[in-house]
Amino acid sequence: MTQRTCLVVDDSLVVRKAARRIIEGLGFSVREAKDGQEALEACRARLPDGVLLDWNMPVMDGITFLRAARAEFGPDHPRIVLCTTEAELARILEALAAGAQEYVMKPFDADIIRDKFTQAGLLEAVA
């Protein structure tokens, strides 16, 4: 079985490194991007299985990337988990309507990421 891949997209190096450590611990090969434009180029080069996507970034924000990725790659790949401090229900609904499979609030930990990746279909549910 080939190793699953995940693209971590966040303008914060600290957040990218923390997320990378957690996601690699879940068995993924991880690449990083600092904004939505860089993420879109990374997806065009090699589409990952999953994307952990920050909302608020310079150049291209998460929701713009999400819409562009869905238009270009379709509704199911990659599986996109939006990760943000945006707690308003309207924002969460906007992300899900735009095509995100799941939504993670910052700050997150390994258990939260594992649960959300399982719900998004990136990990098998553990019985």
Short mmCIF file of all heavy atoms in Angstrom, two decimals, residues 21-79:
data_model
loop_
_atom_site.label_atom_id
_atom_site.label_comp_id
_atom_site.label_asym_id
_atom_site.label_seq_id
_atom_site.Cartn_x
_atom_site.Cartn_y
_atom_site.Cartn_z
N ARG A 21 4.19 17.23 12.47
CA ARG A 21 4.59 16.23 13.47
C ARG A 21 3.40 15.30 13.77
O ARG A 21 3.56 14.08 13.80
CB ARG A 21 5.09 16.92 14.73
CG ARG A 21 5.87 16.04 15.65
CD ARG A 21 6.65 16.80 16.72
NE ARG A 21 5.85 17.80 17.42
CZ ARG A 21 6.02 19.13 17.30
NH1 ARG A 21 6.94 19.62 16.52
NH2 ARG A 21 5.27 19.95 17.99
N ILE A 22 2.23 15.87 13.98
CA ILE A 22 1.03 15.08 14.28
C ILE A 22 0.66 14.18 13.11
O ILE A 22 0.42 12.98 13.26
CB ILE A 22 -0.15 16.01 14.63
CG1 ILE A 22 0.10 16.69 15.99
CG2 ILE A 22 -1.47 15.23 14.64
CD1 ILE A 22 -0.88 17.82 16.29
N ILE A 23 0.62 14.77 11.90
CA ILE A 23 0.13 14.04 10.72
C ILE A 23 1.12 12.96 10.29
O ILE A 23 0.72 11.87 9.89
CB ILE A 23 -0.20 15.04 9.59
CG1 ILE A 23 -1.38 15.93 10.04
CG2 ILE A 23 -0.55 14.32 8.29
CD1 ILE A 23 -1.60 17.16 9.18
N GLU A 24 2.42 13.25 10.41
CA GLU A 24 3.42 12.20 10.14
C GLU A 24 3.25 11.05 11.14
O GLU A 24 3.42 9.88 10.79
CB GLU A 24 4.84 12.77 10.18
CG GLU A 24 5.16 13.58 8.94
CD GLU A 24 6.55 14.21 8.95
OE1 GLU A 24 7.18 14.31 10.03
OE2 GLU A 24 7.01 14.60 7.87
N GLY A 25 2.90 11.39 12.37
CA GLY A 25 2.66 10.38 13.39
C GLY A 25 1.46 9.49 13.06
O GLY A 25 1.35 8.37 13.57
N LEU A 26 0.57 9.98 12.20
CA LEU A 26 -0.58 9.21 11.76
C LEU A 26 -0.25 8.39 10.50
O LEU A 26 -1.12 7.73 9.94
CB LEU A 26 -1.78 10.14 11.47
CG LEU A 26 -2.33 10.90 12.69
CD1 LEU A 26 -3.37 11.92 12.25
CD2 LEU A 26 -2.91 9.93 13.72
N GLY A 27 1.01 8.45 10.06
CA GLY A 27 1.44 7.62 8.94
C GLY A 27 1.44 8.29 7.58
O GLY A 27 1.60 7.63 6.56
N PHE A 28 1.29 9.61 7.54
CA PHE A 28 1.25 10.33 6.27
C PHE A 28 2.63 10.87 5.90
O PHE A 28 3.43 11.20 6.76
CB PHE A 28 0.30 11.54 6.37
CG PHE A 28 -1.15 11.21 6.35
CD1 PHE A 28 -1.78 10.75 7.50
CD2 PHE A 28 -1.90 11.36 5.20
CE1 PHE A 28 -3.13 10.45 7.50
CE2 PHE A 28 -3.25 11.06 5.19
CZ PHE A 28 -3.87 10.60 6.34
N SER A 29 2.85 10.98 4.60
CA SER A 29 3.96 11.76 4.07
C SER A 29 3.42 13.18 3.94
O SER A 29 2.35 13.39 3.38
CB SER A 29 4.36 11.21 2.70
OG SER A 29 5.22 12.11 2.06
N VAL A 30 4.16 14.17 4.47
CA VAL A 30 3.64 15.53 4.55
C VAL A 30 4.47 16.51 3.72
O VAL A 30 5.69 16.47 3.75
CB VAL A 30 3.60 16.02 6.03
CG1 VAL A 30 3.14 17.47 6.13
CG2 VAL A 30 2.69 15.11 6.86
N ARG A 31 3.77 17.35 2.97
CA ARG A 31 4.38 18.51 2.32
C ARG A 31 3.74 19.75 2.93
O ARG A 31 2.67 19.68 3.51
CB ARG A 31 4.12 18.49 0.81
CG ARG A 31 4.91 17.39 0.09
CD ARG A 31 4.67 17.42 -1.42
NE ARG A 31 3.26 17.15 -1.70
CZ ARG A 31 2.62 17.57 -2.80
NH1 ARG A 31 3.24 18.28 -3.71
NH2 ARG A 31 1.35 17.26 -2.99
N GLU A 32 4.39 20.91 2.76
CA GLU A 32 3.89 22.15 3.34
C GLU A 32 3.77 23.23 2.27
O GLU A 32 4.52 23.24 1.30
CB GLU A 32 4.84 22.65 4.44
CG GLU A 32 5.01 21.70 5.60
CD GLU A 32 6.02 22.21 6.62
OE1 GLU A 32 6.29 23.44 6.66
OE2 GLU A 32 6.55 21.38 7.39
N ALA A 33 2.82 24.14 2.51
CA ALA A 33 2.68 25.34 1.68
C ALA A 33 2.31 26.49 2.60
O ALA A 33 1.60 26.30 3.60
CB ALA A 33 1.60 25.14 0.62
N LYS A 34 2.79 27.71 2.28
CA LYS A 34 2.55 28.84 3.17
C LYS A 34 1.34 29.69 2.80
O LYS A 34 0.97 30.59 3.54
CB LYS A 34 3.81 29.70 3.29
CG LYS A 34 4.21 30.42 2.02
CD LYS A 34 5.51 31.20 2.24
CE LYS A 34 5.95 31.97 1.02
NZ LYS A 34 6.20 31.13 -0.17
N ASP A 35 0.72 29.39 1.65
CA ASP A 35 -0.49 30.12 1.26
C ASP A 35 -1.25 29.30 0.22
O ASP A 35 -0.76 28.29 -0.27
CB ASP A 35 -0.17 31.53 0.74
CG ASP A 35 0.74 31.51 -0.48
OD1 ASP A 35 0.36 30.88 -1.50
OD2 ASP A 35 1.81 32.12 -0.44
N GLY A 36 -2.44 29.76 -0.10
CA GLY A 36 -3.30 29.01 -1.02
C GLY A 36 -2.73 28.88 -2.42
O GLY A 36 -2.90 27.85 -3.07
N GLN A 37 -2.02 29.92 -2.89
CA GLN A 37 -1.44 29.86 -4.24
C GLN A 37 -0.36 28.78 -4.30
O GLN A 37 -0.32 27.98 -5.23
CB GLN A 37 -0.86 31.23 -4.63
CG GLN A 37 -0.34 31.28 -6.07
CD GLN A 37 -1.43 30.98 -7.09
OE1 GLN A 37 -2.51 31.56 -7.04
NE2 GLN A 37 -1.17 30.08 -8.03
N GLU A 38 0.49 28.76 -3.29
CA GLU A 38 1.54 27.73 -3.23
C GLU A 38 0.91 26.34 -3.11
O GLU A 38 1.37 25.37 -3.71
CB GLU A 38 2.42 28.02 -2.00
CG GLU A 38 3.79 27.42 -2.06
CD GLU A 38 4.65 27.87 -0.88
OE1 GLU A 38 5.29 28.93 -0.98
OE2 GLU A 38 4.68 27.14 0.13
N ALA A 39 -0.18 26.26 -2.36
CA ALA A 39 -0.88 24.98 -2.18
C ALA A 39 -1.48 24.49 -3.49
O ALA A 39 -1.41 23.30 -3.82
CB ALA A 39 -1.97 25.12 -1.13
N LEU A 40 -2.06 25.40 -4.26
CA LEU A 40 -2.67 25.03 -5.54
C LEU A 40 -1.59 24.50 -6.49
O LEU A 40 -1.79 23.49 -7.17
CB LEU A 40 -3.37 26.25 -6.14
CG LEU A 40 -4.54 25.99 -7.08
CD1 LEU A 40 -5.58 25.06 -6.48
CD2 LEU A 40 -5.19 27.32 -7.47
N GLU A 41 -0.43 25.17 -6.51
CA GLU A 41 0.68 24.72 -7.35
C GLU A 41 1.17 23.34 -6.89
O GLU A 41 1.48 22.48 -7.72
CB GLU A 41 1.80 25.76 -7.33
CG GLU A 41 1.41 27.03 -8.09
CD GLU A 41 2.25 28.25 -7.75
OE1 GLU A 41 3.31 28.10 -7.08
OE2 GLU A 41 1.86 29.36 -8.14
N ALA A 42 1.22 23.12 -5.57
CA ALA A 42 1.66 21.82 -5.04
C ALA A 42 0.66 20.72 -5.43
O ALA A 42 1.07 19.61 -5.78
CB ALA A 42 1.78 21.89 -3.52
N CYS A 43 -0.62 21.05 -5.41
CA CYS A 43 -1.66 20.07 -5.80
C CYS A 43 -1.56 19.74 -7.29
O CYS A 43 -1.77 18.60 -7.69
CB CYS A 43 -3.05 20.59 -5.46
SG CYS A 43 -3.44 20.54 -3.70
N ARG A 44 -1.26 20.75 -8.10
CA ARG A 44 -1.11 20.51 -9.54
C ARG A 44 0.09 19.63 -9.82
O ARG A 44 0.08 18.81 -10.73
CB ARG A 44 -0.97 21.85 -10.27
CG ARG A 44 -2.28 22.61 -10.35
CD ARG A 44 -2.11 23.98 -10.96
NE ARG A 44 -3.37 24.70 -10.98
CZ ARG A 44 -3.49 26.01 -10.79
NH1 ARG A 44 -2.41 26.76 -10.61
NH2 ARG A 44 -4.68 26.57 -10.82
N ALA A 45 1.16 19.80 -9.03
CA ALA A 45 2.37 19.00 -9.21
C ALA A 45 2.13 17.56 -8.79
O ALA A 45 2.53 16.62 -9.47
CB ALA A 45 3.52 19.61 -8.40
N ARG A 46 1.45 17.36 -7.66
CA ARG A 46 1.16 16.02 -7.15
C ARG A 46 0.00 16.13 -6.17
O ARG A 46 0.17 16.66 -5.07
CB ARG A 46 2.38 15.42 -6.48
CG ARG A 46 2.22 13.92 -6.21
CD ARG A 46 3.48 13.31 -5.61
NE ARG A 46 3.68 13.87 -4.28
CZ ARG A 46 4.87 14.04 -3.71
NH1 ARG A 46 5.97 13.74 -4.35
NH2 ARG A 46 4.97 14.53 -2.50
N LEU A 47 -1.16 15.66 -6.58
CA LEU A 47 -2.36 15.79 -5.76
C LEU A 47 -2.24 14.94 -4.49
O LEU A 47 -2.03 13.74 -4.57
CB LEU A 47 -3.59 15.35 -6.58
CG LEU A 47 -4.94 15.84 -6.08
CD1 LEU A 47 -5.02 17.36 -6.08
CD2 LEU A 47 -6.07 15.26 -6.92
N PRO A 48 -2.35 15.58 -3.30
CA PRO A 48 -2.26 14.81 -2.06
C PRO A 48 -3.60 14.12 -1.76
O PRO A 48 -4.63 14.47 -2.34
CB PRO A 48 -1.96 15.89 -1.01
CG PRO A 48 -2.65 17.11 -1.55
CD PRO A 48 -2.53 17.01 -3.06
N ASP A 49 -3.56 13.17 -0.84
CA ASP A 49 -4.81 12.54 -0.39
C ASP A 49 -5.62 13.52 0.45
O ASP A 49 -6.85 13.54 0.38
CB ASP A 49 -4.50 11.29 0.45
CG ASP A 49 -3.77 10.24 -0.37
OD1 ASP A 49 -4.27 9.89 -1.46
OD2 ASP A 49 -2.72 9.77 0.06
N GLY A 50 -4.92 14.31 1.26
CA GLY A 50 -5.60 15.24 2.15
C GLY A 50 -4.90 16.57 2.23
O GLY A 50 -3.70 16.68 1.93
N VAL A 51 -5.66 17.59 2.63
CA VAL A 51 -5.11 18.93 2.83
C VAL A 51 -5.63 19.44 4.17
O VAL A 51 -6.84 19.43 4.42
CB VAL A 51 -5.56 19.91 1.72
CG1 VAL A 51 -5.03 21.32 1.99
CG2 VAL A 51 -5.09 19.43 0.35
N LEU A 52 -4.71 19.85 5.04
CA LEU A 52 -5.08 20.56 6.26
C LEU A 52 -4.87 22.03 5.93
O LEU A 52 -3.75 22.47 5.69
CB LEU A 52 -4.21 20.13 7.44
CG LEU A 52 -4.58 20.78 8.78
CD1 LEU A 52 -5.96 20.32 9.24
CD2 LEU A 52 -3.54 20.47 9.85
N LEU A 53 -5.95 22.78 5.89
CA LEU A 53 -5.97 24.10 5.26
C LEU A 53 -6.33 25.21 6.23
O LEU A 53 -7.42 25.20 6.81
CB LEU A 53 -7.00 24.06 4.11
CG LEU A 53 -7.24 25.32 3.32
CD1 LEU A 53 -5.99 25.73 2.53
CD2 LEU A 53 -8.42 25.14 2.39
N ASP A 54 -5.43 26.18 6.39
CA ASP A 54 -5.72 27.37 7.18
C ASP A 54 -6.67 28.27 6.41
O ASP A 54 -6.68 28.27 5.17
CB ASP A 54 -4.39 28.10 7.45
CG ASP A 54 -4.56 29.31 8.38
OD1 ASP A 54 -5.49 29.31 9.20
OD2 ASP A 54 -3.74 30.24 8.27
N TRP A 55 -7.49 29.04 7.11
CA TRP A 55 -8.42 29.95 6.45
C TRP A 55 -7.75 31.28 6.13
O TRP A 55 -7.76 31.74 4.99
CB TRP A 55 -9.63 30.20 7.36
CG TRP A 55 -10.74 30.94 6.69
CD1 TRP A 55 -10.67 32.15 6.05
CD2 TRP A 55 -12.10 30.52 6.55
NE1 TRP A 55 -11.90 32.50 5.55
CE2 TRP A 55 -12.79 31.51 5.85
CE3 TRP A 55 -12.78 29.39 6.97
CZ2 TRP A 55 -14.15 31.42 5.56
CZ3 TRP A 55 -14.13 29.31 6.69
CH2 TRP A 55 -14.81 30.30 5.98
N ASN A 56 -7.17 31.93 7.13
CA ASN A 56 -6.64 33.29 6.98
C ASN A 56 -5.16 33.28 6.62
O ASN A 56 -4.32 33.01 7.47
CB ASN A 56 -6.86 34.08 8.28
CG ASN A 56 -8.33 34.22 8.60
OD1 ASN A 56 -9.10 34.72 7.78
ND2 ASN A 56 -8.74 33.77 9.77
N MET A 57 -4.89 33.57 5.34
CA MET A 57 -3.50 33.61 4.85
C MET A 57 -3.36 34.73 3.83
O MET A 57 -4.34 35.10 3.19
CB MET A 57 -3.13 32.28 4.16
CG MET A 57 -3.16 31.07 5.05
SD MET A 57 -2.79 29.57 4.12
CE MET A 57 -4.29 29.35 3.16
N PRO A 58 -2.14 35.24 3.66
CA PRO A 58 -1.91 36.22 2.58
C PRO A 58 -1.90 35.52 1.21
O PRO A 58 -1.98 34.31 1.15
CB PRO A 58 -0.52 36.77 2.92
CG PRO A 58 0.15 35.65 3.65
CD PRO A 58 -0.94 34.95 4.44
N VAL A 59 -1.81 36.29 0.17
CA VAL A 59 -1.74 35.86 -1.23
C VAL A 59 -3.06 35.22 -1.68
O VAL A 59 -3.77 35.77 -2.49
CB VAL A 59 -0.55 34.91 -1.52
CG1 VAL A 59 -0.45 34.60 -3.02
CG2 VAL A 59 0.76 35.51 -1.02
N MET A 60 -3.37 34.03 -1.14
CA MET A 60 -4.66 33.38 -1.42
C MET A 60 -5.12 32.72 -0.13
O MET A 60 -4.40 31.89 0.42
CB MET A 60 -4.51 32.32 -2.52
CG MET A 60 -5.84 31.61 -2.85
SD MET A 60 -5.66 30.18 -3.96
CE MET A 60 -5.25 30.98 -5.50
N ASP A 61 -6.30 33.11 0.35
CA ASP A 61 -6.77 32.54 1.61
C ASP A 61 -7.35 31.14 1.41
O ASP A 61 -7.48 30.65 0.28
CB ASP A 61 -7.77 33.47 2.32
CG ASP A 61 -9.08 33.65 1.56
OD1 ASP A 61 -9.36 32.91 0.60
OD2 ASP A 61 -9.84 34.55 1.95
N GLY A 62 -7.67 30.49 2.51
CA GLY A 62 -8.11 29.10 2.47
C GLY A 62 -9.39 28.88 1.69
O GLY A 62 -9.50 27.92 0.92
N ILE A 63 -10.37 29.76 1.86
CA ILE A 63 -11.66 29.55 1.20
C ILE A 63 -11.51 29.73 -0.32
O ILE A 63 -12.14 29.01 -1.10
CB ILE A 63 -12.76 30.45 1.80
CG1 ILE A 63 -14.15 29.89 1.49
CG2 ILE A 63 -12.64 31.89 1.38
CD1 ILE A 63 -14.57 28.74 2.36
N THR A 64 -10.63 30.64 -0.74
CA THR A 64 -10.37 30.84 -2.17
C THR A 64 -9.67 29.61 -2.74
O THR A 64 -10.03 29.11 -3.82
CB THR A 64 -9.52 32.11 -2.40
OG1 THR A 64 -10.20 33.22 -1.80
CG2 THR A 64 -9.32 32.37 -3.88
N PHE A 65 -8.69 29.08 -2.00
CA PHE A 65 -8.02 27.85 -2.42
C PHE A 65 -9.03 26.70 -2.52
O PHE A 65 -9.02 25.94 -3.48
CB PHE A 65 -6.90 27.45 -1.45
CG PHE A 65 -6.45 26.03 -1.64
CD1 PHE A 65 -5.53 25.71 -2.62
CD2 PHE A 65 -6.99 24.99 -0.88
CE1 PHE A 65 -5.13 24.39 -2.84
CE2 PHE A 65 -6.61 23.68 -1.09
CZ PHE A 65 -5.68 23.38 -2.06
N LEU A 66 -9.87 26.59 -1.50
CA LEU A 66 -10.86 25.51 -1.45
C LEU A 66 -11.75 25.53 -2.69
O LEU A 66 -11.94 24.51 -3.35
CB LEU A 66 -11.70 25.66 -0.17
CG LEU A 66 -12.81 24.65 0.08
CD1 LEU A 66 -12.29 23.23 0.11
CD2 LEU A 66 -13.51 25.00 1.40
N ARG A 67 -12.27 26.69 -3.03
CA ARG A 67 -13.14 26.81 -4.22
C ARG A 67 -12.36 26.49 -5.50
O ARG A 67 -12.88 25.81 -6.39
CB ARG A 67 -13.75 28.21 -4.28
CG ARG A 67 -14.76 28.43 -3.15
CD ARG A 67 -15.50 29.75 -3.28
NE ARG A 67 -16.51 29.86 -2.25
CZ ARG A 67 -16.52 30.80 -1.30
NH1 ARG A 67 -15.57 31.74 -1.27
NH2 ARG A 67 -17.47 30.82 -0.38
N ALA A 68 -11.13 26.98 -5.58
CA ALA A 68 -10.31 26.72 -6.77
C ALA A 68 -9.98 25.23 -6.89
O ALA A 68 -10.05 24.66 -7.98
CB ALA A 68 -9.01 27.55 -6.71
N ALA A 69 -9.65 24.59 -5.77
CA ALA A 69 -9.32 23.17 -5.79
C ALA A 69 -10.53 22.34 -6.18
O ALA A 69 -10.41 21.39 -6.96
CB ALA A 69 -8.79 22.73 -4.41
N ARG A 70 -11.69 22.68 -5.68
CA ARG A 70 -12.90 21.93 -6.02
C ARG A 70 -13.24 22.10 -7.51
O ARG A 70 -13.64 21.15 -8.18
CB ARG A 70 -14.08 22.36 -5.14
CG ARG A 70 -13.94 21.87 -3.70
CD ARG A 70 -13.93 20.35 -3.64
NE ARG A 70 -13.61 19.83 -2.34
CZ ARG A 70 -12.61 19.00 -2.08
NH1 ARG A 70 -11.80 18.60 -3.05
NH2 ARG A 70 -12.39 18.55 -0.88
N ALA A 71 -13.06 23.32 -8.03
CA ALA A 71 -13.34 23.57 -9.44
C ALA A 71 -12.37 22.79 -10.33
O ALA A 71 -12.76 22.26 -11.37
CB ALA A 71 -13.23 25.07 -9.73
N GLU A 72 -11.11 22.68 -9.88
CA GLU A 72 -10.08 22.06 -10.71
C GLU A 72 -10.00 20.53 -10.54
O GLU A 72 -9.79 19.82 -11.51
CB GLU A 72 -8.73 22.69 -10.38
CG GLU A 72 -7.66 22.37 -11.38
CD GLU A 72 -6.44 23.27 -11.24
OE1 GLU A 72 -6.59 24.45 -10.85
OE2 GLU A 72 -5.33 22.78 -11.52
N PHE A 73 -10.15 20.05 -9.31
CA PHE A 73 -9.89 18.63 -9.03
C PHE A 73 -11.15 17.82 -8.70
O PHE A 73 -11.07 16.61 -8.55
CB PHE A 73 -8.88 18.48 -7.88
CG PHE A 73 -7.64 19.29 -8.07
CD1 PHE A 73 -7.32 20.32 -7.19
CD2 PHE A 73 -6.78 19.06 -9.14
CE1 PHE A 73 -6.17 21.09 -7.37
CE2 PHE A 73 -5.63 19.82 -9.32
CZ PHE A 73 -5.33 20.85 -8.43
N GLY A 74 -12.29 18.51 -8.54
CA GLY A 74 -13.52 17.78 -8.23
C GLY A 74 -13.87 17.80 -6.75
O GLY A 74 -13.11 18.30 -5.93
N PRO A 75 -15.03 17.23 -6.40
CA PRO A 75 -15.57 17.38 -5.04
C PRO A 75 -14.95 16.47 -3.98
O PRO A 75 -15.10 16.74 -2.80
CB PRO A 75 -17.05 17.04 -5.22
CG PRO A 75 -17.07 16.09 -6.38
CD PRO A 75 -15.97 16.56 -7.30
N ASP A 76 -14.25 15.42 -4.37
CA ASP A 76 -13.82 14.44 -3.39
C ASP A 76 -12.33 14.32 -3.16
O ASP A 76 -11.89 13.73 -2.17
CB ASP A 76 -14.37 13.05 -3.77
CG ASP A 76 -15.89 13.03 -3.78
OD1 ASP A 76 -16.48 13.66 -2.90
OD2 ASP A 76 -16.46 12.40 -4.68
N HIS A 77 -11.53 14.83 -4.08
CA HIS A 77 -10.07 14.75 -3.93
C HIS A 77 -9.46 16.10 -4.20
O HIS A 77 -9.83 16.73 -5.19
CB HIS A 77 -9.49 13.69 -4.88
CG HIS A 77 -9.75 12.31 -4.39
ND1 HIS A 77 -10.85 11.60 -4.76
CD2 HIS A 77 -9.05 11.52 -3.53
CE1 HIS A 77 -10.82 10.42 -4.16
NE2 HIS A 77 -9.75 10.34 -3.41
N PRO A 78 -8.52 16.52 -3.39
CA PRO A 78 -8.16 15.86 -2.15
C PRO A 78 -9.22 16.08 -1.07
O PRO A 78 -10.08 16.95 -1.23
CB PRO A 78 -6.85 16.57 -1.76
CG PRO A 78 -6.97 17.93 -2.36
CD PRO A 78 -7.75 17.74 -3.63
N ARG A 79 -9.19 15.30 0.01
CA ARG A 79 -10.05 15.50 1.16
C ARG A 79 -9.50 16.73 1.87
O ARG A 79 -8.31 16.79 2.18
CB ARG A 79 -10.04 14.31 2.11
CG ARG A 79 -10.23 12.97 1.46
CD ARG A 79 -11.57 12.77 0.78
NE ARG A 79 -12.64 12.57 1.74
CZ ARG A 79 -13.92 12.50 1.40
NH1 ARG A 79 -14.29 12.61 0.13
NH2 ARG A 79 -14.85 12.33 2.30
#
